[in-house]
Amino acid sequence: MTSTAAPDERHPDRLTWWDTTWRVGAALLLGLTFWFFTIALLYPGDADIPDSWRAAWLVLVDPVIGLVAAALVPWRRRWPVPITLVTTVLSAVSTVAAGAQTVAFVSLATRQRWPEIAPMVLLTTLAGVFSTRVVYPDPRGPPPVG
């Protein structure tokens, strides 16, 4: 005898449209928060934004990459390692993508498989260093060592 769920019950392993929507929304909200803080840190005050490739990248390309990363969030449960890998690489060049990377990484971490988590911790650290040193460096320069 097989048991089937009643029509009003949901399968515990499947997400509803709302479960997926709020996670994508949270990824975008988190990423946009990172993006606004990056703008505030790189271009403080009422100073005009200088004409540079970084300013154009931040305003035009960064949000688009973040949207691509957020579009990957619904597949993070089916392919947790590849989705976390891709969103982490995208977060190295996009602050908006960091929101999707955070959601994907948390989803990966809930699986509690250290051989999957440990390399992603290293990759996330490298992506953060690349982003803060190459893509969006502090205009005042790095803090003094020592």
Side-chain angles (χ1 to χ4, degrees), residues 3-16:
S3 64
T4 58
D8 59 343
E9 293 180 22
R10 75 178 194 125
H11 194 278
D13 291 334
R14 293 193 182 133
L15 297 179
T16 64

Side-chain angles (χ1 to χ4, degrees), residues 10-24 73-78 103 107:
R10 75 178 194 125
H11 194 278
D13 291 334
R14 293 193 182 133
L15 297 179
T16 64
W17 70 271
W18 177 246
D19 294 330
T20 300
T21 302
W22 82 259
R23 284 170 174 86
V24 172
V73 167
W75 289 285
R76 83 202 180 294
R77 291 181 65 180
R78 179 167 290 172
V103 172
S107 185

Side-chain angles (χ1 to χ4, degrees), residues 16-48:
T16 64
W17 70 271
W18 177 246
D19 294 330
T20 300
T21 302
W22 82 259
R23 284 170 174 86
V24 172
L28 287 171
L29 181 63
L30 188 58
L32 288 173
T33 302
F34 294 150
W35 186 65
F36 282 120
F37 278 116
T38 302
I39 291 172
L41 289 171
L42 291 178
Y43 308 108
D46 295 332
D48 291 332

Side-chain angles (χ1 to χ4, degrees), residues 4 10 28 32 34 46 62 84 113 120-122 124-125:
T4 58
R10 75 178 194 125
L28 287 171
L32 288 173
F34 294 150
D46 295 332
D62 191 315
T84 304
R113 297 180 183 163
M120 290 302 152
V121 169
L122 178 63
T124 299
T125 303

Side-chain angles (χ1 to χ4, degrees), residues 50-126:
D51 293 329
S52 71
W53 70 269
R54 282 190 180 93
W57 183 273
L58 181 62
V59 173
L60 301 174
V61 180
D62 191 315
V64 173
I65 293 173
L67 287 174
V68 170
L72 296 173
V73 167
W75 289 285
R76 83 202 180 294
R77 291 181 65 180
R78 179 167 290 172
W79 301 296
V81 175
I83 296 300
T84 304
L85 176 74
V86 170
T87 56
T88 301
V89 169
L90 291 176
S91 73
V93 295
S94 168
T95 57
V96 180
Q101 189 272 340
T102 302
V103 172
F105 196 98
V106 167
S107 185
L108 178 72
T110 60
R111 294 164 44 97
Q112 299 180 359
R113 297 180 183 163
W114 287 104
E116 295 174 353
I117 297 170
M120 290 302 152
V121 169
L122 178 63
L123 184 61
T124 299
T125 303
L126 293 173

